[in-house]
Structures are given as C-alpha cells and as structure tokens.
Amino acid sequence: MKHSNVYSSVNRIAPILFALAALLWWGLANKYLLYYQEQFQLFQFTFDYLKSRCLVPGGISFYIADFLTQFYYYPWIGAAIIALLLVIIRQLVFRLGRLLKADATYGLLSFLPSIAFWAFLCDENALSGLLIGTIFSLAACCIYMRFPGNLTNRVICILVSLPVLYVVAGSVYFLFIAWAVIYEFREAMRRKEVAHALLRLGLLVLAGILIPLLAQLVTQYAFAGLLSGIGYYRFPQLYTFTGLAAVALCVATPWLMRGFSLLKSPEKRGFILTLTAVAGIGFVWIYKAADPMKEEIMRYDYLTKTGQWNAVIAEAEKKSPTSPLSVACLNLALAKNNQLGDRMFEFYQNGPEGLIPSFKRDFYAPLVSNEIYYQLGMINTAQRFTFEAMEAIPDYRKSSRAFRRLAETNLINGQYKVAEKYLRALQHTLFHKKWADTMLKYAGNESAIAGNPEMARLRKSRYINDFLYSDTEMEDMLGLLLAQNPENRLAFEYLLGYTLQNKDLERFMTYYPLGRTMNYTHIPKSYQEALIYMWTQQNPNFNGLPWSISRNVLDGVSEFAHIYMKQKQPEAILKEKYGKTYWYYLLFV
Amino acid sequence: MKTSIIQTLACCLLLLSACSEQINSPEEIAAYPPIYPDYIGVTIPRNIAPLNFNMETDDCERMDIRIFANNRELYHQQGKIMDIPVKQWQKILEEANHCDSLMITVQAKEDGKWKNYRSFPVYLSNYPVDYGLVYRKIAPGYEVYSKMGIYQRDLSSFEETALVENTLVKGMCVNCHTFNQTNPEQFSLHIRGDHGATYLKRGTDTEYLNTKTDQTLASCVYPYWHPDGSYIAYSTNNTRQSFHVNSEERIEVIDLASDIVVYHPESHRLLHCDLLEGDEYFETYPAFSPDGKTLYFCQASVQEIPAGYKEIRYNLCSIAFEPDAGTFGNKIDTLILADTLSKSITFPRPSYDGKYILFTMADYGNFPIWHKEADLGLLDLTTNQFRMLSEVNSNDTESFHNWTKNSRWFVFSSRRDDGLYTRLYLASVDDDGQVSKPFMLPQRDPKTFYDRDIYSYNVPDFTDRPIDFERRIFEKKIVSDERIQVKSAKK
C-alpha cells in the first residue's frame, strides 16, 4: 500500500474517530452544558418566531442553530448534533485544502478549526449560530473555488455570495471575504499585477464593510454589532478569542496545509508531526476551555430543577460542592429529603447565601435560586427571580425553563390567563409541548390543582397576608412565612438553617421551639450541636439538659472544647475530626 | 385541448365553491357572537384599521361574516378569522359614509354545525382619530428589562415601525416619550443607562440634556409640554420599587420624595416654585392646561415609608402659571380631594379642547399599573364634577391615557385581557360627554397576535403625523455622551 493511500484512508477514518470523541465528550462529560444551553431559548414552530429570528443579519443561521439547540434537551442527540457540525466544518476545510492542491499527508491539520470550535462551545455563552454561519461561509468558499481559472465567474460568485451570505450567515461572512481576498491577491500577484491585486483587495474589503453599513438602515443594531456579529455569543457584540481563532483558522488552515505540502520533508515524518501537533493542540485547548466549576453548578442546577434530590446528595457525597449556587442546590435537596438539620454541616457551607441566595442581576443565578423560593412557597419571589432572569438574558431571547416556571407560579397564584399564555407558547415547542398540554388542564380547574400534591402543597405554603418583601430581612421573611403557615416544615428548616449559617444562636434558640409540631423523630444533628453549644456557654456540665442530645454529640462537644481550649492552633486538628460539625463552622468558617 | 380547458375550468369552479361554504338551516342563537376582541357595540372612527376578529373559542372551524350598512350587504367573507384587507375596509367605510353604524352578522361552525348569532352593531363616529399611536413595548417585568423600544403604529392600517429599540445602544432604556398635543415636531424622550439623557426635539433642533442638577432630586421625568412649546413641566422623583408577597399584587413603586419643575428650553433652565417642592408633600405628574395658564398635578401628604405606603393618596391639584414671565401662582387649588374618598389620583390629562381632565384613580400610591382596582375617571371642567368612567373601566387595571388632537378620542392602557400584559383601547367622547364602549387596538389576526405578544404597551400617545426620527444620529449622539447641562434657576 502506498503512503498516499494510507493518508487518504486516515483522512477518511479520522473524522469518524473525531466525531466519536466529540460525541462522548458532549454526551458524557459535558451534558449539563447542553441542558444549560437549551433552557435559554424558546424555539417555537411558528412563523412569528421564524420572522423574529430571521430579521437580523445571520438570522437564518441563528434560526437553524436554535432549531438544533432545542434537541439539547436530550444530551446524546445534542452531542451528536455538535459532533456532526464539527465534522462538517472539518470536511469543508479539508476540501478547501485539497482545492488548493494540498497533500493528503497534512489532512489532519484540517481538524484545527473544528478543535477551536469545540473549545469555543465549551464556553457556556457560545452559541452554535457561529458554527452554522461558518458552514455556510465555508460552503460559499468551496463554490467560489470551483472557478479557479475564470475571473468573471469568481466575480459573479463574490457579488452574489456577499449579500446572500450576510443575510444567511451574518458577519462571519468575513471568512468568505478573507478567503477571496487571499485568493484574488495571490492570483493577481502570480501574474505580477500588483496594482490589480491591491485593487481586488481594496474592493473586497470595502464591500465587506459596505454591507453592514447598509444593514444599519434596516436594523436597530449598532454598527459595531452588525460588523462583529450579534448572534454568535450570548452577549451580542462580544466576540471571544476562541471564536475568532476558530473562524480565522478556517481561512488559514487550507493554506497551511498547502504550505506544508510544498515542503520537501518526508511524508511519514510530516504525517507524524501533524498528528502529534493536532492531537496535542486539541487536547490542551479543549482541556483549558472546559470549566469544571461551571459544569458543577450546571449539574447541581439540573438535578435540582428536575427534583432529583437523592442524586444531588449523591453528587455531594462524592465531592462536596464549593460554589454558592451548588451549595444552595445541595441544601435544598437536603431539606427536601428532611436531612438539612442533620447533614447541612457535613458539606461545605458558605453562609446564608449558600442557603437562600439573594437576588442578583444575572440571567442564571436567579433562575437557580428561584427553585429554593418556589419550594419554600415564596411563589411571588420565585416568579420575580424567574422573570428577571429571563429578562436579563443578554441576547434578548426567552427561556423555556422560565416559561415553565412562570406557568407554574401563575397557576399556583390562580392567574390562569397569564399561565395559559405561557403554556400556549410552550405548546409550539417540540419537547415542552407534552408538559404544557398537561399543565393547561389545571388552568381554572381548582379541584385539579387541589388534587396535585405539589401544587396543593405550594398553595398552602404561601404567604396569606400581604406585605412588602425585603431581601435584606430574610430571617423575617422566613419567620413570617412560617408564622402564616405553621405546617411549612421547609420554612422552619430554612429559618433555623439561616440562623445557624448566620451564627445567630440567640435567634436559633428563639425559633427552635417552633419545631415541636413538626413531627421530628429526633433532634437533627446540627440543632443538637447548636443547642449543646449554647448549653455549655452557661452550664458547667450536662445535668438538667432539657433536650434529648445523643451521646456522640455530648462526647464530641466535650472533646471539641478540650482541644479548642488546650491547643495553640486547634483549627487543623479540629478540622480533621470535627470539620463536619456546626461547632467547627461556628468558630472557624 | 378543449376538453382539458373545460376540465380545468370545472376544477376552478369546484375549488371556488369549496371556498365559500353553503349554510343551510343554522342553529339560531339569541346572543351576540363571542368574538375576540369584543367589538360588539363599539364606536370607531372612520379612519381606523380593519376591525378583524376571531371567535373566542378554538373550537370554531369557520366563520361566515356579513357586513351591512342600511340593510345593504357591503361585505361577505368566510374564514377562521375576519380578515378584511385594508383597502376593502376603507371601501366599506366609504360606502357607509352616510350611515351611523355597521351591522355585522356572524355565523360560526362548531363541531360541523353552523350557528347563526345575533347581529351586532359597530357605531361610526364622524370624528377622525389622529394618524397614529406611539407607545413603548416592554415585558411587564420588575427591574430588569430585555428588548424594548418605542414604536409608532399607523392607526389606519396594521403597520407598526420601531422608532428606537434598545438594541441600538447597549444597556439603554427608553421611556417617557411625549409630544406637544400630538405634534411630534415637539418631542421629548428619556434615555436611561450608561448613556442617559433627555432627548428633546423642537422643530429641526434636537438637544441631548442632562437634567439632573444640584437643586433637584433626580433627573426630570413625566414630561408635559406647554401648548406653545416654550416650556416642559417635569417631576423629579426619588423612587423605590418593592414587591408584594401575596398572589394578588406584584409590584409597588413608591416615591420617597418628589417635586415638580418647569423646564425652559430656550435658556436651558429649570423654573422652580416653592409650592411645588415642599417637604411635606409629594408632587408629581404635571400637565399644562390647553391655554397654558394652569399647571395641573397630583399631590399627596408625605407618609412614613414603607409603613405608611398604603396611606399615600394623591389629590388632583392645580396652580396658576404665567407663560410670558415663567412664574407660578401663589396658591394651590385642589380640584379633587381624592384622599377623603380613600383614593389616589394619577396621570391627569386635560383634553386639548379644555373641557375635561381624564385621570386614573386607585386605592393608593402613584403607580396604578400594578393596581388591579385602578380605573379611569373624568373631571368635567365646566361643572367641576367628576365621574368614574364605567363605560370603559373593567375589573382589572386601567392606567395611562392620552387624548387625540380633536379631543374626541382617548387611548388608555388596560390589563383586562389577561391580568398582566397591558393592551391599548380607544374610546370616544361625544358632545354631551358620553363615552363609548372602548375597542381594542386592531390587529390583523388579533387572537394570535395578542396571545403571542410578550410585551406590554406603555405610555400610549397620539401623533398627528408619521414621526421623523433620525435613528443613526440619535445613536451617535447618545453614545457620544455630549450633553447640555440643564441649570437650575433656583436661588
């Protein structure tokens, strides 16, 4: 078998292996990022939605990207879609290289843009509209390259492609312009027509800028946005280095392939070097682009929003979460499983914000936090957090997750017409339709709501009397929630948890007796630790202790106090043995 | 060849007959048809867009609609929506030129059976409505806003165009668009965000102002033009937003302090009046009388916040204003002592013929859009008597409103449709002060349109002509941060 045949085979097999790797990466290691992406859009099969998306430069690419992103609801399908897009880009780049008569030996270089796009997509704000737009632009490059010896046809191709591409792909059409500039410049220079080369270069650049300038007349976007693209990244007009690099590599790689092909180095060595370089760059780039901390938050959030409380706790048992939002999810899961009082301090805690986060002007944090308020019965606050999160989405899109929650809060609050509005919108989606159909049956149907355990519980858990909510007086808000609904055990646990996290043991002692009617089988461990701590502050021994404190806790507090008093630097010692107690949190965190 | 032509013609005839279904022995229904929007018995101007409507229920398979004037059928249509082309509608109204009403007959097919509903009238007013409406569209949210903008709608068609959207400048919020008695050549607009400003257009001159001064509480808001265009009344408010915890209410917007000032564009100075800037009262929502010699406003006694927020009730007041000298009278008159009724008045809007003041009345506070009990009231300035407008009020919120140039029509925002998303309604006032049943702003396919529309319509105001707004110059100026600093004339 000749070497060239081997390389051709490699170039045929490599995309399959690459796709498999991408499939596993996105389907296994990064699936929560796909869930994350899906929730920040509301793709509807309506003409209105199509119109709203397509009325901006690149809108068709954005619409296709939205259409594909809805499938992220099922991560394996989402992973397959991403793998397919990456492979299409690779194939187009490879094709361009071959059209430049690059040697198949260096075919593996054509994976570089796809690797860059892979890394780009690891950013939670990266949108696949850039990939779709790039595919259109690369396809235009391939069509343009069909006329290597015919300047007239190439000019016609450019004249047609530029406006069409700008409409279809948006400002990533600069990829096509860059390609045409380089090719035309080279062609003119080959004929030693310097003036002609400069003229072609100038005309193309001018045309490239002129079209966004004209777009100003019919759009409400700033010129900078029309030039740099508005639908490739969640923050319009913000372009990441990785995104730019990916697009630039689409232009540079085929020329790189051709450049290497012109070198007189032995094929085998060239191939091995290429393979090593591409694999090395790919590994490092993607590894660096992944953000395990963000992935952790997305994982906890997904499990929380889908009510998988045991799974949340199991995750924490494997590795205690450290970000405030993950901790908040864990605490909610513990509370929902009646374990908050017992196990809260087994895990890392970062204070009241990790229990019940306050409002932040952000499109994600309030969406995560709303789950806590919703479960507590603070329906209006959950509704506000959800609405605000949706309004804060930087690219002005709506959120399927927010629409679902808003439908729920409005159903619980008896605002059926508003709930129906959100549900009817969800009925135009592919994967939320079934849920919306089910929920619509509750609109205006009081007996159905009363028969739904969760909705009935939440209706009962709400505030009865009206007052103005205060973010800065959370303890009072929880206290009033409990006072108006003394059976709201979640509110009780959050109230006590709040005082413990706040290290306000006097308030803890005030609220603790309210738990008498909550049907506890035992005093939760952290409450025992707080109670015995308070006892030891005022009493020399355990005689007359009014609570049923376990022997472990009694022994523990004695030893803890002993080490604390006797050791010069007790923290390290206590952390090892008592790091999961309230005492350690109280004195050292 | 001949045979194929005959076959083609036969097919066409068959298709045409299928388009218009024959109705035999429909079930007679004594009630009016349940249509959306409710256009039954409404009064409309003759230059309004087609009153397209749908049946309220989704069960309707088809409607058969006939429009009559003086018992003469002017139009017939079958379809799921009454969707009359604009030109056809204009022709209908021309043909009904000497009639005071149209009669519309609706037959609807449900479960394969036709029902014949009672015909309903649509009354035709001889007073036209202005060219268009300008409003802000924004999601009915709390503090954060997504895409929003100011839009103008041609009232004789369905055409809506964006004047300015916040996609133009990052983080920009636009609000408080105001014209001088529907004249868009005198146009004020507020821009909030990093590039905040007050845009002021007077004829061909445009200015970008910074209206916050050392002597005022905050930037100027809630503008109202003096009729001769030489002044603009503003209030300056220190505002706070709070949130209710129970299901009925959502948001409470409370002023911690508020004053009224009058801006003189020629000198870029704010005119002050001690009576309008007292510490004991909140003053807000100024509006000049059509003769320019009176300034109406709302005033409430200061209460402790937040404990007394439900006790803040605004009365409708006025003070004399001398336009030539730019001076104020030395006493405040109370036109409606709403406080004694345990009510609060906001948004006084004098009709431009000087006959009435249209206002919003709620139980308390100054931000009635979040008050379900908020209703419209009308003060007759010839008798100084006011009445609540039962003809237009609903069980849900009625809020902001404005008059047409001829003072025969007013537009108001209401949440009656679904309880949250504000929609616009128009109603007429006849010679005797009788107000007609309002009609919802027409849309081509109203049910689908309003159901899918995720914006509220804010601060509607009429414009007597299309607005000439140079968006790109506006963008450039806003981003430049070059502002004319307004000065205070306070000593």
Side-chain angles (χ1 to χ4, degrees), chain B residues 360-404:
Chain B
T360 304
M361 190 181 260
D363 284 349
Y364 62 90
N366 70 356
F367 218 75
I369 192 66
W370 293 103
H371 285 241
K372 286 199 178 291
E373 80 286 356
D375 281 332
L376 296 186
L378 191 70
L379 172 67
D380 187 333
L381 289 169
T382 56
T383 61
N384 284 330
Q385 298 294 308
F386 81 91
R387 68 182 182 95
M388 300 313 292
L389 294 179
S390 57
E391 304 95 317
V392 302
N393 291 327
S394 72
N395 291 332
D396 220 304
T397 310
E398 275 73 43
S399 185
F400 199 87
H401 44 265
N402 259 313
W403 293 92
T404 51

Coordinates of all heavy atoms in Angstrom, one line a residue, chain B residues 360-404:
Chain B
T360 N -56.5 58.7 36.3 CA -56.6 57.4 36.8 C -56.7 57.4 38.3 O -56.1 58.3 39.0 CB -55.3 56.6 36.5 OG1 -55.1 56.6 35.1 CG2 -55.4 55.1 37.0
M361 N -57.6 56.6 38.9 CA -57.9 56.6 40.3 C -57.7 55.2 40.8 O -58.2 54.2 40.3 CB -59.3 57.1 40.6 CG -59.5 57.4 42.1 SD -61.2 57.9 42.3 CE -61.1 59.6 42.4
A362 N -56.8 55.1 41.9 CA -56.6 53.8 42.5 C -56.7 54.0 44.0 O -57.1 55.1 44.5 CB -55.2 53.3 42.2
D363 N -56.5 52.9 44.8 CA -56.8 53.0 46.2 C -55.7 53.8 46.9 O -55.9 54.4 47.9 CB -56.8 51.6 46.8 CG -58.2 50.9 46.5 OD1 -59.1 51.6 46.0 OD2 -58.3 49.7 46.8
Y364 N -54.5 53.7 46.4 CA -53.4 54.5 47.0 C -52.2 54.5 46.0 O -52.2 53.8 44.9 CB -52.9 53.8 48.3 CG -52.4 52.4 48.2 CD1 -51.0 52.2 47.9 CD2 -53.2 51.3 48.2 CE1 -50.5 50.9 47.8 CE2 -52.7 50.0 48.0 CZ -51.4 49.9 47.8 OH -50.9 48.6 47.6
G365 N -51.2 55.3 46.3 CA -50.0 55.3 45.5 C -50.0 56.1 44.2 O -51.1 56.7 43.9
N366 N -48.9 56.0 43.5 CA -48.8 56.8 42.3 C -48.4 56.0 41.1 O -48.0 56.5 40.1 CB -47.9 58.0 42.4 CG -46.4 57.6 42.6 OD1 -46.1 56.4 42.6 ND2 -45.5 58.5 42.7
F367 N -48.5 54.7 41.2 CA -48.1 53.8 40.1 C -49.2 52.8 39.8 O -49.1 51.6 40.2 CB -46.8 53.1 40.4 CG -45.9 53.0 39.2 CD1 -45.2 54.1 38.7 CD2 -45.7 51.8 38.6 CE1 -44.4 54.0 37.6 CE2 -44.9 51.7 37.4 CZ -44.2 52.8 36.9
P368 N -50.3 53.3 39.2 CA -51.5 52.4 39.2 C -51.5 51.2 38.3 O -52.3 50.4 38.4 CB -52.6 53.4 38.7 CG -51.9 54.5 38.0 CD -50.5 54.6 38.6
I369 N -50.4 51.1 37.4 CA -50.4 50.0 36.5 C -50.4 48.7 37.3 O -50.9 47.6 36.8 CB -49.3 50.1 35.5 CG1 -49.4 49.1 34.4 CG2 -47.9 49.9 36.2 CD1 -50.6 49.3 33.5
W370 N -49.9 48.7 38.5 CA -49.8 47.5 39.3 C -51.0 47.4 40.3 O -50.9 46.6 41.2 CB -48.5 47.3 40.0 CG -47.4 47.1 39.0 CD1 -46.5 48.0 38.6 CD2 -47.1 45.9 38.3 NE1 -45.6 47.5 37.7 CE2 -45.9 46.2 37.5 CE3 -47.6 44.6 38.3 CZ2 -45.4 45.2 36.6 CZ3 -47.1 43.7 37.5 CH2 -46.0 44.0 36.6
H371 N -52.0 48.2 40.1 CA -53.2 48.2 41.0 C -54.4 47.7 40.2 O -54.9 48.4 39.3 CB -53.4 49.6 41.5 CG -52.5 50.0 42.6 ND1 -52.9 50.3 43.9 CD2 -51.1 50.1 42.6 CE1 -51.8 50.6 44.6 NE2 -50.7 50.5 43.8
K372 N -54.9 46.6 40.6 CA -56.0 46.0 39.8 C -57.2 46.9 39.9 O -58.1 46.8 39.1 CB -56.3 44.6 40.3 CG -55.2 43.6 39.8 CD -55.7 42.2 39.9 CE -54.7 41.2 39.3 NZ -54.5 41.3 37.9
E373 N -57.3 47.6 41.0 CA -58.5 48.4 41.2 C -58.5 49.7 40.5 O -59.5 50.5 40.5 CB -58.7 48.7 42.7 CG -57.9 49.8 43.3 CD -56.4 49.5 43.5 OE1 -56.0 48.3 43.3 OE2 -55.6 50.3 43.9
A374 N -57.4 50.0 39.8 CA -57.2 51.3 39.1 C -58.2 51.5 38.0 O -58.4 50.6 37.2 CB -55.8 51.5 38.6
D375 N -58.9 52.6 38.0 CA -59.9 52.9 37.0 C -59.7 54.3 36.4 O -59.0 55.1 37.0 CB -61.3 52.8 37.6 CG -61.8 51.4 37.7 OD1 -61.3 50.5 36.9 OD2 -62.6 51.1 38.6
L376 N -60.4 54.6 35.3 CA -60.3 55.9 34.7 C -61.5 56.8 35.2 O -62.6 56.3 35.4 CB -60.4 55.9 33.2 CG -59.2 55.2 32.5 CD1 -59.4 55.3 31.0 CD2 -57.9 55.7 32.9
G377 N -61.2 58.0 35.4 CA -62.2 59.0 35.8 C -62.1 60.2 35.0 O -61.1 60.5 34.3
L378 N -63.2 60.9 34.9 CA -63.3 62.1 34.0 C -63.8 63.3 34.8 O -64.9 63.3 35.4 CB -64.2 61.9 32.8 CG -64.2 62.9 31.7 CD1 -62.8 62.8 30.9 CD2 -65.3 62.6 30.7
L379 N -63.0 64.4 34.9 CA -63.4 65.6 35.5 C -63.9 66.6 34.4 O -63.2 66.9 33.5 CB -62.3 66.2 36.3 CG -62.5 67.6 36.8 CD1 -63.5 67.6 38.0 CD2 -61.2 68.2 37.4
D380 N -65.2 67.0 34.6 CA -65.8 68.0 33.7 C -65.4 69.4 34.2 O -65.8 69.8 35.3 CB -67.3 67.8 33.6 CG -67.9 68.7 32.6 OD1 -67.3 69.7 32.2 OD2 -69.0 68.3 32.1
L381 N -64.6 70.1 33.5 CA -64.0 71.3 33.9 C -65.1 72.5 33.9 O -64.9 73.5 34.5 CB -62.8 71.8 33.1 CG -61.6 70.9 33.5 CD1 -60.4 71.2 32.5 CD2 -61.0 71.2 34.9
T382 N -66.2 72.2 33.1 CA -67.2 73.2 33.1 C -68.1 73.1 34.4 O -68.7 74.1 34.8 CB -68.1 73.0 31.9 OG1 -68.6 71.7 31.9 CG2 -67.3 73.3 30.6
T383 N -68.2 71.9 34.9 CA -69.0 71.8 36.1 C -68.2 71.5 37.4 O -68.7 71.5 38.5 CB -70.0 70.7 35.9 OG1 -69.3 69.4 35.7 CG2 -71.0 70.9 34.8
N384 N -66.9 71.2 37.2 CA -66.0 70.7 38.2 C -66.5 69.4 38.9 O -66.2 69.2 40.1 CB -65.8 71.8 39.3 CG -64.8 72.9 38.8 OD1 -64.0 72.6 38.0 ND2 -65.0 74.1 39.2
Q385 N -67.3 68.7 38.2 CA -67.8 67.4 38.7 C -67.0 66.3 38.0 O -66.7 66.4 36.8 CB -69.3 67.2 38.4 CG -70.2 68.2 39.0 CD -70.2 68.1 40.5 OE1 -70.4 67.0 41.1 NE2 -70.0 69.2 41.2
F386 N -66.7 65.2 38.8 CA -66.1 64.1 38.1 C -66.9 62.9 38.3 O -67.8 62.8 39.1 CB -64.7 63.9 38.7 CG -64.6 63.2 40.0 CD1 -64.5 61.8 40.0 CD2 -64.7 63.8 41.2 CE1 -64.4 61.1 41.2 CE2 -64.7 63.1 42.4 CZ -64.5 61.8 42.4
R387 N -66.6 61.9 37.4 CA -67.3 60.6 37.5 C -66.3 59.6 37.0 O -65.4 59.8 36.2 CB -68.6 60.6 36.6 CG -68.3 60.6 35.1 CD -69.7 60.6 34.4 NE -69.4 60.6 32.9 CZ -69.4 59.6 32.2 NH1 -69.6 58.4 32.7 NH2 -69.2 59.6 30.9
M388 N -66.5 58.4 37.5 CA -65.7 57.2 37.1 C -66.3 56.7 35.8 O -67.5 56.7 35.7 CB -65.6 56.1 38.1 CG -65.1 56.6 39.5 SD -63.5 57.5 39.3 CE -62.4 56.2 38.7
L389 N -65.5 56.4 34.9 CA -66.0 56.0 33.5 C -66.3 54.5 33.5 O -65.5 53.7 33.0 CB -64.9 56.4 32.5 CG -64.6 57.8 32.3 CD1 -63.6 58.1 31.2 CD2 -65.9 58.6 31.9
S390 N -67.6 54.3 33.9 CA -68.0 52.8 33.9 C -68.0 52.3 32.5 O -67.9 51.1 32.3 CB -69.4 52.7 34.6 OG -70.3 53.6 33.9
E391 N -68.2 53.2 31.5 CA -68.2 52.7 30.1 C -66.9 52.1 29.7 O -66.9 51.2 28.8 CB -68.5 53.9 29.2 CG -69.7 54.7 29.5 CD -69.4 55.9 30.4 OE1 -68.6 55.8 31.3 OE2 -70.0 57.0 30.1
V392 N -65.8 52.5 30.3 CA -64.5 51.9 29.8 C -63.8 51.1 30.9 O -62.9 50.4 30.6 CB -63.6 53.1 29.3 CG1 -64.2 53.9 28.2 CG2 -63.1 54.0 30.5
N393 N -64.2 51.2 32.2 CA -63.5 50.6 33.2 C -63.8 49.1 33.3 O -64.9 48.6 32.8 CB -63.8 51.2 34.6 CG -63.1 52.6 34.6 OD1 -62.1 52.8 34.1 ND2 -63.8 53.5 35.3
S394 N -62.9 48.3 33.8 CA -63.1 46.9 33.9 C -62.7 46.4 35.3 O -62.3 47.3 36.2 CB -62.2 46.1 32.9 OG -60.8 46.2 33.3
N395 N -62.7 45.1 35.5 CA -62.3 44.6 36.9 C -60.8 44.6 37.0 O -60.3 44.3 38.1 CB -62.9 43.2 37.1 CG -64.3 43.2 37.2 OD1 -64.9 44.2 37.6 ND2 -65.0 42.1 36.8
D396 N -60.1 44.9 36.0 CA -58.7 44.9 36.1 C -58.1 46.3 35.9 O -58.9 47.2 35.8 CB -58.0 43.9 35.0 CG -56.9 43.2 35.6 OD1 -55.9 43.8 36.1 OD2 -56.9 41.9 35.6
T397 N -56.8 46.4 35.8 CA -56.2 47.8 35.8 C -56.5 48.6 34.5 O -56.4 48.1 33.4 CB -54.7 47.6 35.8 OG1 -54.4 46.7 36.8 CG2 -53.9 48.9 36.0
E398 N -56.9 49.8 34.7 CA -56.9 50.8 33.6 C -55.9 51.9 34.1 O -55.9 52.3 35.3 CB -58.3 51.5 33.5 CG -59.2 50.7 32.6 CD -59.8 49.5 33.2 OE1 -60.1 49.5 34.4 OE2 -59.8 48.4 32.6
S399 N -55.1 52.3 33.2 CA -54.0 53.1 33.6 C -53.7 54.3 32.7 O -54.6 55.2 32.5 CB -52.7 52.3 33.8 OG -51.7 53.0 34.4
F400 N -52.6 54.4 32.1 CA -52.2 55.6 31.3 C -53.1 55.8 30.2 O -53.7 54.9 29.6 CB -50.7 55.4 30.9 CG -50.1 56.7 30.5 CD1 -49.4 57.4 31.5 CD2 -50.1 57.2 29.2 CE1 -48.8 58.6 31.2 CE2 -49.5 58.4 28.9 CZ -48.9 59.1 29.9
H401 N -53.2 57.1 29.8 CA -54.1 57.5 28.8 C -53.7 58.8 28.1 O -52.9 59.6 28.7 CB -55.5 57.7 29.4 CG -55.5 58.4 30.7 ND1 -55.4 57.8 31.9 CD2 -55.3 59.8 31.0 CE1 -55.3 58.7 32.9 NE2 -55.2 59.9 32.3
N402 N -54.2 59.1 27.0 CA -53.9 60.4 26.3 C -55.1 60.7 25.3 O -55.8 59.8 24.9 CB -52.6 60.3 25.5 CG -51.5 61.0 26.3 OD1 -51.6 62.1 26.7 ND2 -50.4 60.3 26.4
W403 N -55.2 61.9 24.9 CA -56.2 62.4 24.0 C -55.7 62.6 22.6 O -54.6 62.8 22.3 CB -56.7 63.8 24.5 CG -57.4 63.8 25.8 CD1 -56.8 64.0 27.0 CD2 -58.8 63.6 26.0 NE1 -57.8 64.0 28.0 CE2 -59.0 63.8 27.4 CE3 -59.9 63.4 25.2 CZ2 -60.3 63.6 28.0 CZ3 -61.2 63.2 25.8 CH2 -61.3 63.4 27.2
T404 N -56.7 62.5 21.6 CA -56.4 62.9 20.3 C -56.4 64.4 20.2 O -56.9 65.1 21.1 CB -57.4 62.3 19.3 OG1 -58.7 62.7 19.7 CG2 -57.4 60.8 19.1

